[in-house]
Amino acid sequence: MRFPRTRPRSLAGQLFAWQVVLVAAVVVGCAFFAYVSGRGQAEETAERQVRAVALSVAGSPSVREAIRTEDPSAALQPYAERVRKDTGIAFITIMSPDRVRWTHPDADRIGETFLGHTARALRGETFSETYTGTLGPSIRVVTPVRDGGRVTGLVSAGITVDRVSSQVRAQLGALALAAGAALVLGGLGTYVINARLRRHTHGMNAAELSRLHDYHEATLHAVREGLLMLDGQRRIALINDAGRELLGLAPGTVGRRVADLDLPAPLTGALLASEERVDEVHLTADRVIVVNTRPVVGGERRGTVVTLRDHTELQALSGELDSERGFTRALRSQAHEAANRLHTVVSLIELGRTEEAVGFATEELELAQALTDRVVGAVAEPVLAALLLGKAAQANERGVELVLAEDSLIDDGALPSTLPARDLVTILGNLIDNAVDSVTGAQEAAGAARRGRVTVTALAGDGELLLRVADNGAGVDPADAAEVFRSGWTTNGAGRGLGLALVRQAAHRGGGTVTLEQGPDGGAEFTVRLPLGGDGDPPAPAGAGRARKEAVS
């Protein structure tokens, strides 16, 4: 027959049992100590009492005078009994030096030999002892009676051990009552504390708590998302490895205040916010992260749970997808224009104007070939070359001329493999898009007849890569120069304002810098410098490329 397996006692139950045993042991120990100490004090008090009585009787003149008489008992017995009753002791025995009793509580014992030791008293000493006499075990003091320098008698005063024990037992009742009250109060206090502990541990035993802790630690390290828990004082109570990596924090940050972590101000504000935040995008020095916060409330603010998702790769892919969509629209537009031009050539041939048709087609072919030759000849990096061609088509569709500066030159192999092409696309693509938006907006606002222009410089040399984008738009207000790279800053309406922040972030990842100045055409000029990790090839002389600027449009 198999018996059902019983669940181990909970941690609170185990602690309660141990605490009850401990409280009981402490109370019993204290009671025993109090009993032993009280008994010792009672015996010491009894000894002092009988000593005082014996010395007082031995020093009484009436006692010395009675000893000189023929019948000392006649005067001493009434006196001794009166003193004994007044002091409450068991007996007072006055005897001759040869131990013959002159007084005794039991008158029939007068004249008999005293039971006890007297040698030290005969030598003139006063001493105490516990001895069993005619009244049973007693604590007694024996002292000499001196008359003219000689010992003429002895006095023994004592109190029985039973009387001392009865006094201790009377005190023991009160002691037992106090010990019982202490045990009850200790048990109630222990029960209350352990009931609260049981609520906090949800009735789990030590093994379950240990297993839960192991699962907790394994989960924290396994979760790919960042997890951050703040206490009511806005201090980090818990953070996992992914959270430290996403926020760029060093180990040992638990217990520090969020305000002291040197995080970007918008991100710090989101972490310290008292209200819930859902899917907010924030930038750190190297990453784009999505932040969700939820306050932990239980009668009072107890803290905040924060989850962090790495959005860097997704943001880069989203930017590339936007570029691809733009390329698609530009190609569709160019296909439409090419069809129109082809129809024009066919119509000229049908009208018999063959020479004009050949001239028109040759001119279009030269422009298209010039576009490809200019970009490919100056920028040997295929990703940047494709980006420039695509952005040129997009700009042309919006009526903006994209110009590649004549001193632009990036030789094949000039860019190291440690410089990700994706970061270059992020930097140059966002700067060009921002410049085209600025020029287009300025044209729409002013109704300008002249065509907008964006000039791009791409140069690798002297150990660095220089990417510069300038436009002839309205420029940037100097008061806003420090804010343009902040996430959310924009002049193009809601839902924008992330591009320049991503440019600065990508430049920071590559160990470079990004600056803003006023361009030669009056608009904004953004310059990004990225180290190449070594001395690159020096830029070619001014005549090495094509001698004139050509529109990449």
Side-chain angles (χ1 to χ4, degrees):
M1 179 178 179
R2 297 184 62 183
F3 293 95
R5 182 179 180 182
T6 59
R7 182 174 180 268
R9 186 187 297 270
S10 67
L11 178 62
Q14 294 178 15
L15 289 177
F16 176 73
W18 279 107
Q19 287 173 337
V20 167
V21 172
L22 180 61
V23 170
V26 170
V27 170
V28 171
C30 290
F32 178 76
F33 175 78
Y35 171 77
V36 173
S37 176
R39 184 176 182 85
Q41 291 179 354
E43 292 178 351
E44 184 178 353
T45 300
E47 181 183 345
R48 287 199 302 266
Q49 182 182 4
V50 296
R51 180 182 291 271
V53 172
L55 291 175
S56 177
V57 170
S60 175
S62 60
V63 172
R64 289 195 296 269
E65 292 177 1
I67 291 176
R68 297 191 193 105
T69 63
E70 293 293 333
D71 187 9
S73 294
L76 293 178
Q77 176 68 10
Y79 171 76
E81 284 301 299
R82 186 172 61 253
V83 173
R84 181 183 68 81
K85 292 177 181 179
D86 291 341
T87 57
I89 63 177
F91 65 89
I92 298 177
T93 300
I94 305 174
M95 69 196 84
S96 64
D98 55 358
R99 300 196 303 173
V100 176
R101 297 190 186 100
W102 288 327
T103 65
H104 195 274
D106 184 1
D108 295 336
R109 299 286 185 177
I110 296 175
E112 295 181 359
T113 302
F114 173 74
L115 299 179
H117 301 96
T118 60
R120 294 174 60 186
L122 291 175
R123 293 196 298 268
E125 299 180 20
T126 299
F127 68 95
S128 62
E129 65 176 353
T130 299
Y131 194 85
T132 301
T134 57
L135 301 179
S138 62
I139 299 172
R140 59 178 64 178
V141 172
V142 182
T143 186
V145 178
R146 292 184 177 83
D147 188 4
R150 63 189 183 89
V151 177
T152 59
L154 302 175
V155 176
S156 175
I159 186 170
T160 60
V161 174
D162 289 341
R163 181 175 296 183
V164 175
S165 298
S166 64
Q167 294 176 355
V168 174
R169 283 193 295 271
Q171 297 175 357
L172 186 60
L175 178 62
L177 183 62
L183 184 60
V184 171
L185 291 177
L188 289 176
T190 301
Y191 176 79
V192 171
I193 293 174
N194 282 274
R196 185 171 183 179
L197 178 62
R198 187 178 294 107
R199 287 196 302 271
H200 288 304
T201 58
H202 302 285
M204 291 186 289
N205 56 45
E208 291 172 334
L209 288 173
S210 177
R211 185 165 56 252
L212 182 63
H213 177 268
D214 293 340
Y215 289 154
H216 171 269
E217 289 295 319
T219 302
L220 285 181
H221 291 289
V223 170
R224 298 295 300 272
E225 291 187 349
L227 180 62
L228 182 68
M229 295 186 184
L230 308 179
D231 61 16
Q233 303 298 321
R234 306 300 199 278
R235 295 173 300 197
I236 295 180
L238 181 147
I239 185 170
N240 66 349
D241 298 339
R244 279 198 301 268
E245 182 180 356
L246 291 176
L247 295 179
L249 302 178
T253 56
V254 175
R256 295 183 59 188
R257 295 182 179 274
V258 172
D260 300 334
L261 296 180
D262 196 25
L263 297 174
L267 177 57
T268 301
L271 296 179
L272 297 179
S274 57
E275 69 278 2
E276 183 177 354
R277 300 293 180 93
V278 179
D279 289 340
E280 287 192 359
V281 178
H282 290 273
L283 272 68
T284 64
D286 300 313
R287 296 179 182 273
V288 180
I289 58 177
V290 177
V291 178
N292 286 274
T293 68
R294 186 178 183 87
V296 179
V297 180
E300 60 181 7
R301 181 181 177 87
R302 296 185 178 179
T304 306
V305 177
V306 182
T307 60
L308 309 169
R309 295 200 309 271
D310 190 357
H311 206 258
T312 307
E313 297 295 329
L314 183 58
Q315 187 66 41
L317 292 175
S318 177
E320 292 180 6
L321 179 59
D322 290 340
S323 297
E324 293 295 337
R325 288 174 177 170
F327 296 158
T328 302
R329 287 194 298 269
L331 289 174
R332 187 180 299 115
S333 176
Q334 288 182 342
H336 182 72
E337 291 298 321
N340 290 335
R341 296 186 182 102
L342 182 59
H343 290 160
T344 302
V345 171
V346 171
S347 298
L348 288 173
I349 294 175
E350 289 177 348
L351 292 174
R353 298 186 177 186
T354 307
E355 293 182 0
E356 295 179 8
V358 172
F360 181 81
T362 302
E363 182 181 356
E364 290 297 320
L365 181 61
E366 288 179 353
L367 289 175
Q369 189 63 41
L371 168 64
T372 304
D373 290 345
R374 175 72 183 108
V375 173
V376 174
V379 180
E381 172 60 39
V383 174
L384 290 182
L387 177 67
L388 288 172
L389 290 173
K391 291 298 182 182
Q394 289 179 324
N396 182 61
E397 184 181 358
R398 299 179 62 179
V400 177
E401 182 183 14
L402 185 63
V403 177
L404 184 63
E406 64 180 22
D407 59 345
S408 298
L409 180 62
I410 300 180
D411 289 334
D412 188 19
L415 302 184
S417 58
T418 55
L419 190 60
R422 179 171 293 175
D423 283 351
L424 297 179
V425 171
T426 298
I427 294 172
L428 195 56
N430 280 288
L431 289 180
I432 293 176
D433 289 342
N434 189 73
V436 171
D437 289 341
S438 178
V439 171
T440 304
Q443 286 179 332
E444 293 176 353
R450 70 185 181 92
R451 192 178 188 187
R453 171 177 293 195
V454 175
T455 304
V456 178
T457 303
L459 179 63
D462 294 333
E464 71 173 10
L465 172 64
L466 182 143
L467 300 175
R468 179 179 292 125
V469 178
D471 61 68
N472 62 348
V476 178
D477 188 344
D480 296 331
E483 293 292 319
V484 295
F485 296 105
R486 179 177 57 83
S487 177
W489 187 93
T490 181
T491 59
N492 296 320
R496 307 290 297 275
L498 192 59
L500 292 178
L502 293 175
V503 169
R504 183 176 64 172
Q505 187 184 77
H508 181 271
R509 278 199 299 268
T513 61
V514 55
T515 58
L516 169 62
E517 298 176 349
Q518 185 177 1
D521 296 329
E525 181 181 85
F526 291 88
T527 302
V528 177
R529 298 179 183 273
L530 297 171
L532 298 179
D535 295 333
D537 295 330
R546 297 193 180 272
R548 59 182 178 86
K549 294 183 180 179
E550 296 187 52
V552 185
S553 59

